[in-house]
Amino acid sequence: MPRTITETIRYGFAKTPNGRVLVATSGTGVCRVQLSGGDAVASLKRWCRLHARGAEVIEDARAVRDAVRQVEEYARGERRAFDLALDLRGTPFQQKVWGALRRIPYGETRTYGEVARSIGAPSAMRAVGA
């Protein structure tokens, strides 16, 4: 029986001073950004099995061009904020963590413990790090 394709995840690679970065988008927005150490495409496919069941994964540099450009500009210090739609898929806990991370001003850092405290889960620093 043929597999039913529910959506298409398209990806390309940004070149940064820290190496290549895989950037993936769904029809909604950027859904995954990861350093491409190891086999980034295999990692993206594993992510899709968990978060985008039935998705077709296609390398399509043209479709992710704007997202790749913004990641490269950010990595070069030419961009401080992104102007991209996001498709954040995760647990309610992950959504809280990502919200907290998005509130950290450009150029500032936070420890995992500080992020955990900011979302009201002070003992969850290891989970925040994951």
Side-chain angles (χ1 to χ4, degrees):
M1 181 172 209
R3 175 173 72 108
T4 302
I5 297 172
T6 58
E7 71 178 313
T8 301
I9 302 295
R10 299 177 189 284
Y11 70 91
F13 293 94
K15 295 176 185 144
T16 76
N18 295 318
R20 289 184 350 145
V21 174
L22 180 138
V23 180
T25 63
S26 69
T28 302
V30 174
C31 58
R32 188 153 175 85
V33 177
Q34 70 178 62
L35 288 172
S36 62
D39 190 344
V41 176
S43 178
L44 173 63
K45 289 178 180 179
R46 281 191 302 275
W47 179 87
C48 283
R49 283 193 294 276
L50 292 172
H51 300 287
R53 290 194 176 107
E56 181 177 28
V57 177
I58 298 173
E59 184 169 8
D60 186 347
R62 190 175 317 167
V64 299
R65 178 179 39 226
D66 189 43
V68 164
R69 178 183 53 79
Q70 289 191 39
V71 168
E72 289 174 344
E73 290 170 354
Y74 185 85
R76 291 190 305 260
E78 299 168 1
R79 171 178 288 276
R80 291 183 173 214
F82 293 90
D83 179 24
L84 298 167
L86 300 177
D87 182 359
L88 301 177
R89 301 177 191 201
T91 66
F93 177 80
Q94 289 171 321
Q95 297 283 339
K96 280 184 176 180
V97 171
W98 297 332
L101 295 175
R102 291 177 68 193
R103 290 188 294 276
I104 299 171
Y106 178 86
E108 293 187 21
T109 60
R110 300 288 186 278
T111 66
Y112 297 147
E114 289 169 328
V115 173
R117 284 189 294 281
S118 79
I119 64 169
S123 63
M125 53 206 140
R126 291 183 81 180
V128 165

